Amino acid sequence: MFSKILIANRGEIACRVIETARKLGVASVAVYSEADAQARHVAMADEAVAIGGPAPKDSYLRGDVIIAAAKQTGAQAIHPGYGFLSENPDFVEAVEAAGLTFIGPSAKAIRAMGLKDAAKALMEKAGVPVVPGYHGENQDPEHLSGAADTIGYPVLIKAVAGGGGKGMRLVEKPSEFADALASAQGEAQTAFGNPAVLIEKYIGSPRHIEVQVFGDGEKAVHLFERDCSLQRRHQKVIEEAPAPGMTSEMREAMGQAATRAAEAIGYKGAGTIEFIVDGSEGLRPDRFWFMEMNTRLQVEHPVTEAITGVDLVEWQLRVASGEPLPCAQGDLTITGHAFEARLYAEDVPAGFLPATGTLSHLRFAEDCRADTGVRTGDTISPWYDPMIAKVITHGPTRAIALGQLARALEETEVAGTVTNLAFLARLARHEGFGKGVVDTGLIGREIETLSAPVATPEAAKALGVIAAAGLWEGEASGFNLWGALRRAVPFEEEAAIRVQGPGHVTVELGEASHDCVLAEDGWRVDGAKTGARMAREADAVTIFLHGAHRFEIPDPLARGSDAEASDLTLAPMPGLVKAVFVEAGQQVAAGDRLAIMEAMKMEHTMLAARDGVVAEVLVTAGAQVEAGAALIRLEEEE
């Protein structure tokens, strides 16, 4: 076993690897960018080395600097985590050339699976079923259109070097093919430096089921399947293991196909074989096809760990250090059911826009596993993926584990940024999902209900007024027996508090009033127990009561602005302006594309809010802008 390893990553996965290294008695070295100098993974590691600026290209993608840090600190091996350099074969070769061990597969195996078209050809040769489609080298638009006609619509256009939904387009009919192809190729060129695409048959009732594999370079075992069908824009949202409705015959067929795939490329370490499954007639052994292989540890690996009792990171370290596979296929069994939900800083009602902010409060439910890379006081940076945590539950049955997940999400508390917590909790309580009726289109069909703004209970408002007045602990600060026992409170709406005694106040909200008493179990509103908790910021309070309810605390001395902002298109977050589609004097209609921004690994299209004429274009393509920056101004309406 190694005595010291370096983790070439950040956030929750770096923390996850450090935890297992510590369990095995292995020292850990963290690397960090300028933006991550105070990050949780830096604090957890035994040593930490600065590697550059906040942009990934200046830090976490600098393989030479990371290798130098490993040599400098005496680390014997490098764990890549996921993302960044984890599937970069050139980095693997550089690590090995430096006399270090890469904790993962060989460069040859990564290259074999790196391009979707070549990987599919290899899998066909290995006897693994693949989706009908065109995976050839001819990228002429007419040839690709003809291939789509032969396959039969609807079809998927997919970037051969793709991932995360980038360079992917669904085409329903031939007339839409040319525009969709140009869009997919453009996005693929930007994201991967490779515009090549493949064409696949679109599966009408698709499920995304993947199999966890682990190899020693010759032999491989599988650790059963995960269902990752709950997706939004091809991004996984909630994963589970095992897959609902799975039969022993189907599991055996998929497991054998996955191990054949891993052994065909001499795979070493943890990897995932992803399959697309036609669930229209239940799960059948003749209705699954290879999509791609992820040659690394997956974000959703904890659900596999939960049902098998295996620490996959421990296996990675042991096999990379020269040990054989820790167990045989027959030794692996499934116990219970597990779920994982990805908690993000994002504004769901605004279209899932990634968000930033400083976490003034972060608390997870007691009865769950929470893999996180942040703590209270940490900042969600615009430079990286805005994941806050992965919330994982494990129970004896699917129904129990899902109920645990819903409750864990409802009891998780985050303040300082908007999150997708309410969206996730609704999804966990969704009737169809509860019955195991899942496919990749479920979220899209239910998006309005799942993403609707959360209603604010009157009790939460009353408690918000108490917190804004500084009375959460029951002390009547600012009130005295010689002055008025009633005081107006700066709040989002007209509010006042009347003190009745220690820990007893009347909150006046407009025409309504609420009797509030501080008991041993917290504040009670109009006699009802709330169990509410509170987080205070300089200009806001957040009340946690059946969700998070944030209330702005207005500055009574601040003056409102009469300036009309309706003519301006503003940047919703810090990011890069990828393209501008309009110029001064141009007529636009409501919904027309004005510009594209890239932030937090995603592209966001800025649309015209109304019909009008462009007065000014205030940015150029390639500009880095802050949140709230003016991008386009329309002429004032007459």
Side-chain angles (χ1 to χ4, degrees):
M1 177 54 67
F2 309 112
S3 60
K4 183 186 289 188
I5 65 170
L6 180 143
I7 298 98
N9 218 296
R10 64 176 302 280
E12 66 88 11
I13 187 57
C15 296
R16 167 73 187 85
V17 175
I18 291 169
E19 287 173 354
T20 289
R22 182 177 296 161
K23 182 180 74 172
L24 298 178
V26 177
S28 57
V29 180
V31 293
Y32 63 92
S33 69
E34 291 173 6
D36 279 340
Q38 305 301 319
R40 182 171 182 258
H41 75 281
V42 175
M44 286 180 62
D46 298 295
E47 300 175 59
V49 180
I51 54 171
K57 66 180 179 61
D58 298 326
S59 50
Y60 297 109
L61 291 175
R62 295 181 67 186
D64 56 337
V65 176
I66 290 171
I67 292 170
K71 300 281 284 185
Q72 168 196 328
T73 57
Q76 300 152 300
I78 294 179
H79 194 299
Y82 53 73
F84 295 133
L85 295 169
S86 63
E87 295 180 280
N88 185 319
D90 294 336
F91 178 64
V92 176
E93 291 172 341
V95 169
E96 294 172 346
L100 304 170
T101 299
F102 180 78
I103 302 174
S106 67
K108 181 180 179 182
I110 294 175
R111 286 196 176 98
M113 291 296 186
L115 295 177
K116 287 184 171 64
D117 50 355
K120 283 182 168 60
L122 182 62
M123 291 300 96
E124 276 189 299
K125 187 175 180 182
V128 178
V130 300
V131 179
Y134 173 75
H135 312 126
E137 296 182 2
N138 190 335
Q139 294 292 302
D140 179 75
E142 287 191 16
H143 185 80
L144 293 174
S145 178
D149 291 337
T150 301
I151 296 165
Y153 286 88
V155 297
L156 272 179
I157 301 173
K158 298 171 70 173
V160 299
K166 287 183 167 57
M168 183 182 294
R169 297 292 185 274
L170 169 63
V171 189
E172 302 275 4
K173 48 191 177 182
S175 61
E176 299 171 353
F177 186 84
D179 287 345
L181 175 63
S183 177
Q185 289 176 326
E187 191 170 72
Q189 177 65 44
T190 298
F192 312 113
N194 182 351
V197 298
L198 54 83
I199 314 295
E200 285 183 350
K201 177 67 177 175
Y202 177 70
I203 309 301
S205 297
R207 287 178 62 179
H208 180 146
I209 299 178
E210 60 190 32
V211 177
Q212 176 73 59
V213 295
F214 206 101
D216 62 4
E218 294 182 4
K219 293 294 184 181
V221 296
H222 71 84
L223 291 90
F224 312 109
E225 80 282 352
R226 299 184 288 256
D227 194 304
C228 304
S229 298
L230 281 190
Q231 300 182 8
R232 186 192 64 80
R233 290 171 61 180
H234 307 292
Q235 295 282 352
K236 299 167 187 174
V237 176
I238 294 179
E239 303 98 351
E240 63 180 299
M246 180 59 68
T247 65
S248 57
E249 184 183 17
M250 178 80 157
R251 178 173 290 128
E252 178 72 13
M254 294 187 78
Q256 288 185 3
T259 52
R260 282 201 303 273
E263 290 174 353
I265 59 172
Y267 195 79
K268 184 176 183 179
T272 302
I273 309 296
E274 300 197 1
F275 294 102
I276 189 74
V277 178
D278 183 351
S280 60
E281 299 179 36
L283 297 182
R284 293 172 40 178
D286 62 343
R287 296 291 181 88
F288 73 91
W289 302 276
F290 172 85
M291 281 201 305
E292 62 183 340
M293 181 177 189
N294 288 296
T295 51
R296 53 171 168 78
L297 194 66
Q298 288 279 91
V299 176
E300 58 271 23
H301 75 273
V303 294
T304 294
E305 293 183 323
I307 65 166
T308 61
V310 169
D311 182 334
L312 285 168
V313 176
E314 177 184 332
W315 277 29
Q316 285 186 301
L317 268 61
R318 290 174 62 183
V319 169
S321 67
E323 292 186 28
L325 284 172
C327 71
Q329 187 68 60
D331 300 325
L332 293 163
T333 58
I334 295 175
T335 301
H337 206 98
F339 286 91
E340 173 185 291
R342 302 189 186 194
L343 170 57
Y344 278 93
E346 60 183 8
D347 190 340
V348 174
F352 294 85
L353 283 177
T356 58
T358 298
L359 299 173
S360 59
H361 178 82
L362 179 62
R363 177 180 177 270
F364 298 103
E366 294 179 359
D367 299 325
C368 74
R369 169 180 167 180
D371 285 11
T372 183
V374 293
R375 307 148 296 183
T376 296
D378 286 349
T379 297
I380 304 299
S381 166
W383 295 105
Y384 313 113
D385 186 271
M387 179 186 283
I388 295 173
K390 303 182 305 195
V391 178
I392 303 115
T393 58
H394 179 227
T397 68
R398 184 178 189 272
I400 291 173
L402 186 55
Q404 292 172 338
L405 179 68
R407 179 159 186 163
L409 292 168
E410 290 161 356
E411 293 181 357
T412 294
E413 300 170 358
V414 185
T417 184
V418 295
T419 74
N420 65 342
L421 264 173
F423 167 77
L424 292 173
R426 284 173 174 164
L427 199 49
R429 297 286 189 194
H430 186 274
E431 182 180 0
F433 183 44
K435 293 178 180 178
V437 183
V438 295
D439 63 72
T440 58
L442 187 149
I443 290 178
R445 294 192 301 272
E446 303 286 338
I447 192 64
E448 288 190 17
T449 300
L450 294 170
S451 62
V454 177
T456 304
E458 281 296 306
K461 293 182 182 179
L463 295 173
V465 174
I466 291 172
L471 299 179
W472 190 260
E473 302 297 331
E475 296 293 328
S477 175
F479 296 87
N480 60 72
L481 296 175
W482 300 274
L485 292 177
R486 181 184 184 279
R487 187 178 77 188
V489 179
F491 199 64
E492 290 186 347
E493 56 186 276
E494 184 180 345
I497 277 185
R498 188 182 300 276
V499 175
Q500 307 294 345
H504 184 191
V505 300
T506 298
V507 175
E508 299 174 0
L509 272 166
E511 298 297 321
S513 65
H514 301 279
D515 185 63
C516 304
V517 177
L518 182 58
E520 289 186 1
D521 55 4
W523 280 98
R524 298 190 174 197
V525 179
D526 298 326
K529 175 183 174 180
T530 65
R533 295 165 65 93
M534 181 272 293
R536 180 72 196 248
E537 301 168 56
D539 58 353
V541 295
T542 300
I543 302 297
F544 300 104
L545 176 63
H546 309 305
H549 309 282
R550 189 173 189 272
F551 303 103
E552 302 286 341
I553 307 302
D555 182 351
L557 300 179
R559 295 184 177 181
S561 172
D562 295 328
E564 288 292 331
S566 60
D567 299 330
L568 289 173
T569 298
L570 306 178
M573 71 204 78
L576 176 72
V577 178
K578 292 290 296 295
V580 177
F581 301 109
V582 295
E583 57 186 25
Q586 182 175 334
Q587 181 77 40
V588 295
D592 281 356
R593 289 194 310 168
L594 303 179
I596 290 179
M597 280 189 63
E598 182 179 73
M600 295 179 175
K601 299 166 60 177
M602 295 178 65
E603 288 190 352
H604 308 275
T605 302
M606 307 293 105
L607 305 177
R610 62 172 176 83
D611 297 350
V613 176
V614 176
E616 287 183 284
V617 176
L618 302 168
V619 292
T620 57
Q624 190 78 32
V625 298
E626 295 299 318
L631 307 178
I632 311 289
R633 184 174 69 83
L634 300 182
E635 292 182 0
E636 293 183 13
E637 292 184 288
E638 297 181 358

